[in-house]
Amino acid sequence: MSETGAEPRPLVRQLPDPTDASNVRYNPSLAELREFARPDETTTEFGSPSYVSEYRSRSADRTKNAVDHEFADRDHDLVADAIDAACDAELICVDRLMGRHPDATFCCRLYVPVTYARIALAWANLFEPADGRDPDLYTVQLPDYDETAIRVFPDEGITAVLGSDYIGEAKKSFLRLFMYRIKQLGGLGLHAGSKRVRVRDGDGTVRIVGQVFMGLSATGKSTLTSHGCWLDDPEDAAMLQDDVCGLLPDGSVAGSEGKGLFIKTIGLDDEQPELYAAATDESAILDNVAVDDDGTVRFDEDRYTANSRAIVRREHVASADDEIDLDRMDQVFFITRNPLMPPVAKLTDEQAAVAFMLGESIETSAGDPSRAGESIRVVGTNPFIVGSEGEEGNRFHDLIRELNVECYVINTGYVGDESNDVGVTESVTILTEVARGTIEWTADERTGLTIPESVPGVDVGAYYVPDHVENYDDAAAELRTERREYLDRFDELREEITTAVY
């Protein structure tokens, strides 16, 4: 799709045309980009490049968009400065395609200074080469600007990233607008991974299940999405998307990143075999990972940040499918780390909309490093929403109800205290049995949730929350009160959702 509408885009027209601008190197190859970035590179023991940036997480508190914020003259001046600088600086310009869905494919154009070629190299490895079409979305990233500010004009499709050299700003600048465009199509952008699972159900019939995982960075989204679930033919599990996708009105889920994944690496080990193998391939690009002068990689060390990352190629992730679009979303899982939640619970449509609005998790180093580990709530577990958050919840409720989607909340942290950790083995087993339809569910009066009575392969009774929380009833009542008060903030949110707090 080339445009969502015929709209004037004066800011875009002021950007240099890379096909004839003398100051722009247009669409260099990946090999050329690595050569431009060579002065900043440490070569790892695997032969891959590793880079360290000054900014190591998103500057969320410095980000404003023209839909949700009233832009003052200073905001417009910042964007004008970025465009003026882009017309004079020695730049690299790279075009890439985001998405493959016939209704949701966008051409993206990134401008960065040649001296920050590593940003272009990493970003270009995430998306597929463009096909010559005119760009839909534009980002100008100028790390040396003397003020840190990210300004977004969603309807013009342009983002200015000033004063930050973090690769994640370039990536999310386009994915943020991908989700905005999906919403304009009547769907909903999701900060989520998607997966296609082929399993035998209780009758032995092989069926295909589309699963979507919604969660903040570092809560297990990539781990669950990429996990092969230890399945043998004819059963299998294939990852389609890791980070951002779009639910369309027909129930299909459009992918965004067709070539690579931007994965967390802190603590990466053999318990995540698919991701570990890809991160240790020579094609990976390491970002703020602890790498010694001799190239030794130390994924277990937060030398620079706990938000260390790797850009890995999909082709080197064993569970990644060739496709990035999901034919249909059958099941959605909200990933939480709330110790008052069971390992898994089945939700009604209204409870699922509540879970969407609550977005309960923990703050991570990817968002606000100073608050890492704190309990937080982020609508849709999506800090990149453009537009009304309450309307976002209403849209989610309408879509899952119309599409008859099964909804669950899954706890990837611990129940009660850290002695009752819900491990990867338990979580993956639960996901597999949910797909198979073999879990026996029961409406539990004390928790007010529909929880498993039995799960093949998991002693789910050992995780019954009231058994592990002192004064559970008081704690649960306090949590429900907090949730109701939180939902009351959203004036647009429909009453049928606000009254379904669990």
Side-chain angles (χ1 to χ4, degrees):
M1 185 179 71
S2 61
E3 290 290 339
T4 57
E7 58 202 47
R9 302 206 290 174
L11 291 174
V12 167
R13 288 198 295 270
Q14 296 172 42
L15 289 168
D17 180 352
T19 62
D20 61 13
S22 61
N23 65 315
V24 179
R25 293 174 170 85
Y26 184 44
N27 278 335
S29 67
L30 295 178
E32 290 171 324
L33 286 173
R34 185 170 178 182
E35 281 304 311
F36 290 142
R38 190 74 68 178
D40 297 323
E41 176 183 323
T42 297
T43 306
T44 73
E45 60 188 297
F46 312 114
S48 57
S50 176
Y51 306 102
V52 177
S53 59
E54 179 181 357
Y55 281 70
R56 294 158 191 171
S57 63
R58 298 184 309 274
S59 298
D61 59 338
R62 309 287 182 90
T63 302
K64 296 169 66 176
N65 74 74
V67 171
D68 299 310
H69 305 92
E70 185 174 348
F71 275 18
D73 289 344
R74 177 56 181 159
D75 298 301
H76 291 280
D77 290 343
L78 286 168
V79 179
D81 286 352
I83 292 173
D84 289 344
C87 293
D88 298 328
E90 290 297 315
L91 298 177
I92 290 170
C93 177
V94 180
D95 290 347
R96 285 293 186 268
L97 287 183
M98 181 170 54
R100 296 180 193 165
H101 195 284
D103 294 327
T105 298
F106 306 90
C107 184
C108 304
R109 176 167 289 175
L110 173 68
Y111 295 89
V112 296
V114 174
T115 50
Y116 291 91
R118 59 179 174 78
I119 297 174
L121 173 64
W123 180 81
N125 270 276
L126 293 170
F127 302 99
E128 297 174 280
D131 54 4
R133 72 179 73 186
D134 291 335
D136 304 290
L137 307 173
Y138 300 76
T139 293
V140 180
Q141 184 164 359
L142 302 174
D144 288 334
Y145 196 79
D146 58 7
E147 179 180 346
T148 301
I150 295 87
R151 296 294 180 267
V152 188
F153 285 85
D155 292 313
E156 285 209 50
I158 186 168
T159 302
V161 178
L162 301 172
S164 172
D165 64 342
Y166 181 52
I167 290 168
E169 294 286 11
K171 168 185 158 74
K172 278 300 190 293
S173 70
F174 293 106
L175 293 177
R176 177 188 292 113
L177 295 186
F178 172 86
M179 291 189 282
Y180 184 65
R181 295 289 193 257
I182 293 290
K183 188 158 56 173
Q184 290 177 320
L185 293 170
L188 196 64
L190 302 176
H191 184 220
S194 59
K195 184 175 192 172
R196 187 188 62 243
V197 185
R198 185 179 288 107
V199 290
R200 292 187 186 276
D201 62 19
D203 298 326
T205 303
V206 175
R207 66 170 181 164
I208 294 175
V209 180
Q211 294 183 333
V212 169
F213 303 91
M214 299 181 62
L216 290 174
S217 299
T219 56
K221 178 160 54 70
S222 295
T223 299
L224 298 182
T225 306
S226 67
H227 204 288
C229 299
W230 307 292
L231 297 174
D232 297 319
D233 189 64
E235 295 186 313
D236 63 38
M239 181 197 70
L240 303 183
Q241 283 293 279
D242 168 65
D243 191 27
V244 166
C245 50
L247 174 61
L248 293 167
D250 65 357
S252 63
V253 180
S256 56
E257 296 167 289
K259 283 295 183 182
L261 311 173
F262 190 52
I263 66 170
K264 289 270 291 185
T265 60
I266 193 70
L268 189 63
D269 57 28
D270 291 339
E271 194 174 28
Q272 302 161 274
E274 291 88 353
L275 299 181
Y276 183 82
T280 54
D281 189 89
E282 65 178 353
S283 64
I285 300 169
L286 304 190
D287 179 50
N288 296 314
V289 175
V291 178
D292 296 341
D293 291 340
D294 65 359
T296 301
V297 177
R298 304 188 185 281
F299 289 131
D300 59 345
E301 183 182 327
D302 59 352
R303 184 180 306 174
Y304 305 110
T305 175
N307 189 35
S308 54
R309 298 276 182 162
I311 294 85
V312 301
R313 301 299 294 265
R314 287 178 60 91
E315 63 203 68
H316 297 298
V317 179
S319 62
D321 197 75
D322 292 337
E323 300 298 322
I324 67 171
D325 297 330
L326 186 63
D327 289 340
R328 174 179 165 76
M329 183 171 86
D330 299 300
Q331 299 171 344
V332 61
F333 296 86
F334 297 94
I335 302 174
T336 186
R337 292 285 177 92
N338 190 324
L340 290 178
M341 295 303 294
V344 67
K346 190 173 185 178
L347 306 175
T348 66
D349 293 344
E350 289 70 33
Q351 286 176 328
V354 169
F356 179 92
M357 291 302 300
L358 292 175
E360 289 182 337
S361 191
I362 57 168
E363 183 60 86
T364 72
S365 51
D368 184 349
S370 68
R371 297 179 58 205
E374 292 182 18
S375 297
I376 59 169
R377 293 188 174 111
V378 178
V379 174
T381 62
N382 181 6
F384 313 103
I385 291 173
V386 176
S388 165
E389 293 177 321
E391 289 298 338
E392 197 104 350
N394 294 337
R395 175 78 60 89
F396 177 81
H397 180 247
D398 290 343
L399 286 168
I400 61 170
R401 182 172 53 187
E402 292 164 8
L403 296 169
N404 196 29
V405 176
E406 297 174 12
C407 300
Y408 305 86
V409 60
I410 185 167
N411 183 357
T412 59
Y414 55 85
V415 172
D417 59 53
E418 295 183 10
S419 65
N420 304 295
D421 179 61
V422 184
V424 173
T425 298
E426 288 78 15
S427 293
V428 170
T429 301
I430 287 169
L431 294 176
T432 305
E433 300 307 325
V434 168
R436 286 174 173 153
T438 57
I439 294 180
E440 296 291 333
W441 299 94
T442 183
D444 184 68
E445 184 175 345
R446 192 169 182 194
T447 62
L449 291 167
T450 299
I451 62 175
E453 190 170 336
S454 65
V455 178
V458 177
D459 180 11
V460 72
Y463 294 100
Y464 185 56
V465 181
D467 291 344
H468 300 285
V469 177
E470 187 176 356
N471 299 320
Y472 168 78
D473 295 322
D474 292 340
E478 182 179 352
L479 178 61
R480 292 188 190 100
T481 298
E482 290 176 3
R483 286 170 168 170
R484 290 190 189 97
E485 291 174 350
Y486 177 78
L487 293 183
D488 284 343
R489 303 179 189 178
F490 304 99
D491 294 335
E492 303 92 342
L493 191 64
R494 292 195 295 258
E495 186 178 1
E496 62 188 305
I497 298 173
T498 59
T499 57
V501 170
Y502 50 86

